Amino acid sequence: MIEIDDIMNGLNPSQREAVAYLDGPQLVIAGAGSGKTRVLTYKIAYLIRTGMQPWKILALTFTNKAANEMKERIAQLAGVESASRLNMGTFHSVFAKILRVESGLLGFTSDYTIYDEADAKNLVKTIIKEFQLDEKQYKPASVLHRISMMKNRLVLPAQYAADGEVQQRDALNGVPAIAQIYREYQLRLHRSNAMDFDDLLVQTYLLLRDHPDVLRKYVERFDYVLVDEYQDTNYVQQQILLLLTRERQRICVVGDDYQSIYAFRGANVDHILKFQTEYNDARLFKLERNYRSTRLIVAAANNLMKHNSAQIPKEVYSEGDEGEKIQLKQAYSEQEEAIIVCKEIDRIKRQEQRKYADFAILYRTHAQSRTFEEEMIRRQMPYRIYGGQSFYQRKEIKDILAYFRLVQNPHDEASLKRIINYPTRGIGQTTVNRISEVARENSVSCWSVIRNLLAYPELNINRGTLLKINNFANLIQGFIEKKDELNALEIGQEILQTSGVIADLQQGKDADDLTRQENLDEFLASLQSFVDMRTEEGRGAETRLADYLQEVALLTDLDSMDKSDDHVHLMTVHAAKGLEFYTVFVVGMEENIFPSSLSIESRRELEEERRLFYVAITRAEQHCFLTYANRRYRYGKPEENKPSRFLKDIGEDLLDMDRPLNTRSRGFNATNDASFFYPNQRNSRWQNANPVGSQFRAEPRKKITAPVKPEKPAEVFSPAFKKKLDEANGRRLRRITPSSAPSASSGKALLKVGDRIEHERFGVGEVLAVEGTGENTKATVRFRNAGDKQLLLKFARYKLL
């Protein structure tokens, strides 16, 4: 064991002060990279070394990984036996142990079952079926999310059903039976002697609230309570902590309001902001020294957060190297954005002798990973996606590809089974199993059976089901007859529209539904890009469905990937919290992406988006790159984008844009007024979406006030810097459609060797060769980032510089 003096010697002055304070409620604000975990572990060790029994200490974390790591470090400081006797773990694991002991008071036995998310979802699905409700309207995942949000806000079934305002909103949203489902769901759990994860919190709260003797027992048992990541607590967690600590006031919470990014899970930043109100004698300690990042990265993060009004002011600093400015990279398209990022990874890896594992690409939504995956596969660059599946492995994408593969090869049994009842068309699993059995018995494919149903009387299927199967077979046959007449985009759009896939994916409004809709948009963008690129390269005959499927099959062939631990990390910013990397790329820094289009009309939501960006920047140790694209395909069409307003928040002195790469492109100078960064209207088809749970109160009813006006920041860039940006970025790129593109036949803007052009997706390039005549004229162009490309000028989207 380490002596107390030695424990204190391992801390800086701010950390030492926070560890030694034991005289009342304590809020420790720990800036990014400031040693938060170190303070928590040393404080627990300090408590033990000053005489407190370890089992009298309650330490709550948000992940088992964090709890295990802290226990290991405490064992080194205070001894293995002491560390093993701590009441330490996640909220759910610690409270589950309490409930095992006290469960009889709540009508459960001590061997109650804990339902995971899949169990809970299946139960909800069963109830929906028994109530004979439309599963398209009452999606099990959406209903379960609604129930979870209610539990996290301590709104129980009876309260939910008695709230006329909520019932009216449910009716308007077409889900009036939510209250009945919620009630039945809880009854079924209780009958099964089961709790879901939310119940572990709710039942603990009810136990302590309704049984004063039990509350007294645990208040006296826990002499000291410590909470990690306090900014991530939800309402029920906060209420449990108040019950346990309000009397004795022996609590230490550690967190960072700047890193509160989980409102969609029920977390409430107000808990940390108002801690000193809940505990009147609470002392505030600030850990402001960042041990992770360079001084310029920390300065950029500080500048960003000055634009949030709801915060505990702090000035995080670094005593490390000054480092380089935040690198801002502009791209013409998402394809060039991926090329730029991969080239920078190669450059830094080579020049600074780094590993691939030293690099992370962070994005706002999972759908953005596609172009980076494709570029890395082309470059044979190893990568791994964290916190989400590979784009082409996501369920909705696999469903779509199953349609495509079945149209291309109707004897593909796996694809047929996957989509024969998707979207739901009344063909049950029993019927599918029977078709498969008959096919095996007759040594034919399932497709052969369903195309000739009357030839297989042993199917023994009723007339209604036979009609449904026949309609499905005719649907697929219709696509088969068109697949060689249309390109991949045209047949793909028809398949998705006619089959009902688009309608199915677009009808939901909760967070998971929006993610699937974003993935659908990204998939359509990949189809559009595939056809456009091959057409421009004069390979129009190679744009059929078969060509696309072959390319996708190669892109998703994971067997060729490096299996070592040395991978580039791809993940959402949410998944990156708590991690750090030598070099970080934050991509897609555009309005309606980051910040999300769903956040820009609410100051509270916009400030959470800014905190999310803060988390992204502060993951970087040495290099931080921000990228955005002038154009990005959405809904199958290229859309002009505006750079994110957050870029402006960083400030001119900390952004490095002076690179030849950025000339002759749209950039910041599309307009000089504030509306370029702060649009008044959201450019999104989701602007009227009503995410699940957004209409419910987080706490007891309060007076409804007028909505907060959207944030309208003042100008930050000086006229001198605007001029510099203008020079760096050049004039806007005018979109040229295929019909108006210059071509040999039109006699306009014929290219010659040495000409410089600006292409819609590939950026600036120099013409190396021109060949062919009339509509067959082709040009070979060397682009700065995309390399050499051969373009069929009839279709190419470019302009002569």
Side-chain angles (χ1 to χ4, degrees), residues 349-415:
K349 181 177 182 293
R350 182 179 63 256
Q351 292 179 357
E352 302 182 25
Q353 289 80 53
R354 308 304 302 188
K355 300 188 301 181
Y356 284 117
D358 293 323
F359 299 87
I361 300 173
L362 309 182
Y363 34 76
R364 182 62 182 82
T365 65
H366 287 301
Q368 292 170 256
S369 72
R370 178 185 62 84
T371 52
F372 298 97
E373 291 183 65
E374 292 177 352
E375 185 61 26
M376 289 181 174
I377 289 172
R378 292 188 185 100
R379 292 172 175 264
Q380 297 185 322
M381 183 180 289
Y383 71 91
R384 180 173 295 159
I385 292 179
Y386 293 83
Q389 298 170 301
S390 170
F391 181 81
Y392 292 104
Q393 294 300 311
R394 293 163 191 165
K395 179 187 179 301
E396 57 274 15
I397 303 304
K398 289 174 71 72
D399 290 338
I400 292 170
L401 289 175
Y403 266 103
F404 285 15
R405 292 185 176 121
L406 187 62
V407 170
Q408 188 61 36
N409 173 22
H411 300 290
D412 182 341
E413 183 171 335
S415 294

Side-chain angles (χ1 to χ4, degrees), residues 145 148-149 152-153 231-237 261-269 271 608 698:
H145 176 74
S148 176
M149 294 300 286
N152 286 335
R153 295 166 184 174
Q231 77 280 349
D232 292 335
T233 54
N234 61 30
Y235 182 66
V236 63
Q237 288 166 332
I261 60 173
Y262 294 118
F264 67 95
R265 295 179 185 170
N268 190 338
V269 69
H271 296 161
E608 174 149 332

Side-chain angles (χ1 to χ4, degrees), residues 410 447 451 472-482:
W447 176 254
R451 286 297 289 160
F472 169 75
N474 289 338
L475 175 74
I476 299 300
Q477 185 61 39
F479 298 145
I480 292 172
E481 292 169 1
K482 295 179 181 178

Side-chain angles (χ1 to χ4, degrees), residues 89-242:
T90 65
F91 280 86
H92 293 88
S93 65
V94 170
F95 295 160
K97 291 178 182 177
I98 292 175
L99 290 172
R100 294 286 181 197
V101 176
E102 314 292 348
S103 56
L105 297 173
L106 298 167
F108 294 86
T109 64
S110 60
D111 59 348
Y112 67 83
T113 299
I114 299 175
Y115 274 21
D116 63 18
E117 187 174 358
D119 298 325
K121 184 178 176 181
N122 286 335
L123 177 55
V124 169
K125 188 173 182 177
T126 298
I127 293 169
I128 290 170
K129 285 184 177 179
E130 290 180 2
F131 282 8
Q132 298 182 349
L133 299 171
D134 185 354
E135 204 170 307
K136 292 181 179 179
Q137 194 72 18
Y138 292 88
K139 290 188 174 182
S142 300
V143 174
L144 184 61
H145 176 74
R146 181 82 63 93
I147 292 172
S148 176
M149 294 300 286
M150 291 306 98
K151 289 184 179 183
N152 286 335
R153 295 166 184 174
L154 288 175
V155 179
L156 302 181
Q159 295 168 276
Y160 190 89
D163 192 321
E165 186 178 327
V166 169
Q167 297 310 305
Q168 185 177 11
R169 288 173 180 169
D170 279 353
L172 289 173
N173 288 329
V175 286
I178 292 289
Q180 291 91 330
I181 297 172
Y182 186 9
R183 178 179 178 277
E184 184 66 20
Y185 174 76
Q186 287 304 114
L187 287 173
R188 298 283 183 93
L189 283 174
H190 196 269
R191 281 194 215 122
S192 302
N193 192 37
M195 300 184 199
D196 63 17
F197 275 88
D198 296 313
D199 285 329
L200 297 177
L201 303 178
V202 173
Q203 295 293 344
T204 299
Y205 170 77
L206 295 176
L207 172 72
L208 300 177
R209 185 196 69 179
D210 298 340
H211 300 275
D213 55 330
V214 176
L215 175 60
R216 169 59 49 192
K217 177 170 72 172
Y218 288 102
V219 166
E220 292 179 353
R221 174 174 299 181
F222 301 132
D223 276 350
Y224 210 94
V225 177
L226 302 98
V227 185
D228 189 17
E229 304 285 10
Y230 188 69
Q231 77 280 349
D232 292 335
T233 54
N234 61 30
Y235 182 66
V236 63
Q237 288 166 332
Q238 185 213 32
Q239 293 301 303
I240 293 171
L241 290 171
L242 286 172

Side-chain angles (χ1 to χ4, degrees), residues 110 125 164 216 265 309 315 372 454 458 571 610 615:
S110 60
K125 188 173 182 177
R216 169 59 49 192
R265 295 179 185 170
S309 58
E315 192 66 34
F372 298 97
L454 297 180
E458 63 269 33
M571 64 187 77
R610 190 176 281 112
V615 168

Side-chain angles (χ1 to χ4, degrees), residues 533-600:
M533 291 181 70
R534 293 206 171 195
T535 302
E536 285 190 5
E537 294 169 1
R539 301 165 62 191
E542 300 173 29
T543 59
R544 297 293 181 261
L545 189 61
D547 303 310
Y548 179 76
L549 288 173
Q550 179 173 307
E551 178 160 298
V552 170
L554 294 174
L555 289 174
T556 58
D557 185 6
L558 302 181
D559 293 334
S560 63
M561 288 184 62
D562 185 2
K563 300 298 184 181
S564 74
D565 292 330
D566 192 20
H567 298 79
V568 178
H569 305 271
L570 276 69
M571 64 187 77
T572 64
V573 183
H574 282 102
K577 186 171 176 291
L579 304 178
E580 56 188 47
F581 304 95
Y582 185 78
T583 300
V584 167
F585 296 86
V586 188
V587 301
M589 291 303 304
E590 299 142 37
E591 284 294 300
N592 295 319
I593 294 180
F594 206 170
S596 162
S597 60
L598 295 176
S599 71
I600 59 180

Side-chain angles (χ1 to χ4, degrees), residues 764-787:
V764 175
E766 181 179 346
V767 178
L768 302 181
V770 180
E771 60 185 67
T773 60
E775 294 188 351
N776 296 318
T777 304
K778 297 180 181 180
T780 301
V781 184
R782 176 162 295 166
F783 293 98
R784 287 178 180 154
N785 291 299

